[in-house]
Amino acid sequence: MSSEPDPQVLQAFRVNNPSTVARTKIANVFKVHRSDGEPAALKIYHEPGLANEAPGVRLLEDLAGCSAARIFAKDNIAVLLEWLPGPSLGDFVRAGDDGAAARHLGDVAAALHRAAPEAHADYPKLETWFTALFDLHFAPACPIDARADIEACKVLALHLLATQTDCVALHGDLHHDNVRRGSRGWCAFDAKGVVGDPAYEFANAFRNPDGGEAVYLDAGAQKYRASVWAGALGVSQNRLLAWAAVKCALSIAWRSEGPVADDPDFETLSILMHLARSSPEQP
């Protein structure tokens, strides 16, 4: 598949001068310029339907720029959105300032939840994501400890899903590299758009960003993150950590092609499960 944008897409969105920003499994992202000369980000998906981000694009529209990238235009294959020059919060972590990154990410999440649409019946529900985890099986080579952690996460996921309260429209993939600074401050992008427990919002952040292993493999740093993020949303630290462990196991399930034997997140999962189990609170 060509990495160059289709000229017809450029014409349809009235943009020009494309330069490649990122290439992912589901889309290519380009920096472009609008007719007024202002930069924008053009995300062109590999298949029609906006992959698994159609609800997330709708959520960004509903958020109307409140701590989120503005959507300028969209069709069935591409989205034109606000240009966020950066840095990202992931850059903060990689530069050694996880504390500032955690605080900024907490502020962004709180703002997103305050602005989230009250009418969210059309968004998918969080529980629909977990089939892959519940169906996951193990290869003989899978380490015993990892197998035990994942089986515990299956039970924990059922409990967390059954005890959700005050569900809201969630970004669904809020982590450090999905928040960048723009002219209006820190803004989230690449939302998934799902309805569920507010405490789920940071679930993926505990195993991010890429290049931040020194932080997310450190139990003390993860405890600090849990404290900051629980305070930002007014939820329990234990429930945050429990969702983080469950999401880590879910990511392992999503990556597996058949029975799981090995995965780079086994160590992260072990740390998160230990923290969730050692918390005095009930998830």
Side-chain angles (χ1 to χ4, degrees), residues 177-247:
D177 282 325
N178 278 348
V179 177
R180 294 181 67 86
R181 191 158 57 198
S183 61
R184 299 182 298 107
W186 295 103
C187 292
F189 58 97
D190 280 1
K192 298 302 182 188
V194 65
V195 173
D197 184 349
Y200 179 85
E201 191 69 283
F202 293 109
N204 213 27
F206 281 95
R207 48 184 290 275
N208 271 282
D210 288 344
E213 294 83 356
V215 175
Y216 64 73
L217 293 178
D218 182 284
Q222 293 285 43
K223 284 183 179 180
Y224 174 79
R225 287 176 160 189
S227 174
V228 172
W229 295 338
L233 293 185
V235 298
S236 91
Q237 292 185 43
N238 181 264
R239 197 166 180 92
L240 280 181
L241 290 164
W243 274 123
V246 164
K247 174 56 176 66

Side-chain angles (χ1 to χ4, degrees), residues 7-263:
Q8 292 184 340
V9 175
L10 298 179
Q11 183 177 10
F13 283 87
R14 299 180 181 179
V15 295
N16 55 60
N17 195 26
S19 58
T20 302
V21 173
R23 299 173 184 172
T24 73
K25 292 180 180 180
I26 64 171
N28 291 334
V29 182
F30 303 91
K31 181 180 181 181
V32 295
H33 288 82
R34 304 168 72 191
S35 57
D36 59 5
E38 289 297 311
L42 179 64
K43 189 168 188 175
I44 304 178
Y45 292 81
H46 301 325
E47 301 291 341
L50 310 186
N52 61 352
E53 293 184 347
V57 171
R58 186 165 71 250
L59 177 61
L60 292 178
E61 289 180 305
D62 286 343
L63 290 168
C66 181
S67 291
R70 295 184 184 277
I71 300 293
F72 297 136
K74 69 175 184 179
D75 61 15
N76 196 41
I77 195 69
V79 178
L80 184 69
L81 63 159
E82 180 179 3
W83 177 251
L84 302 172
S88 72
L89 290 180
D91 294 331
F92 272 50
V93 179
R94 288 182 285 269
D97 199 351
D98 185 66
R103 294 189 293 274
H104 288 311
L105 191 61
D107 291 342
V108 168
L112 293 178
H113 286 204
R114 286 193 297 270
E118 294 185 7
H120 48 55
D122 290 339
Y123 289 97
K125 293 183 178 181
L126 185 57
E127 48 263 40
T128 63
W129 285 5
F130 281 86
T131 301
L133 175 59
F134 298 139
D135 291 346
L136 184 63
H137 297 287
F138 305 96
C142 184
I144 294 174
D145 289 347
R147 184 191 300 250
D149 284 339
I150 293 172
E151 290 289 10
C153 279
K154 292 182 181 183
V155 176
L156 185 55
L158 288 171
H159 169 73
L160 291 169
L161 291 169
T163 55
Q164 296 181 94
T165 58
D166 302 319
C167 291
V168 298
L170 305 170
H171 178 286
D173 191 20
L174 190 66
H175 63 77
H176 307 76
D177 282 325
N178 278 348
V179 177
R180 294 181 67 86
R181 191 158 57 198
S183 61
R184 299 182 298 107
W186 295 103
C187 292
F189 58 97
D190 280 1
K192 298 302 182 188
V194 65
V195 173
D197 184 349
Y200 179 85
E201 191 69 283
F202 293 109
N204 213 27
F206 281 95
R207 48 184 290 275
N208 271 282
D210 288 344
E213 294 83 356
V215 175
Y216 64 73
L217 293 178
D218 182 284
Q222 293 285 43
K223 284 183 179 180
Y224 174 79
R225 287 176 160 189
S227 174
V228 172
W229 295 338
L233 293 185
V235 298
S236 91
Q237 292 185 43
N238 181 264
R239 197 166 180 92
L240 280 181
L241 290 164
W243 274 123
V246 164
K247 174 56 176 66
C248 189
L250 177 60
S251 294
I252 291 170
W254 280 341
R255 280 193 297 270
S256 68
E257 298 179 358
V260 64
D262 192 17
D263 191 274

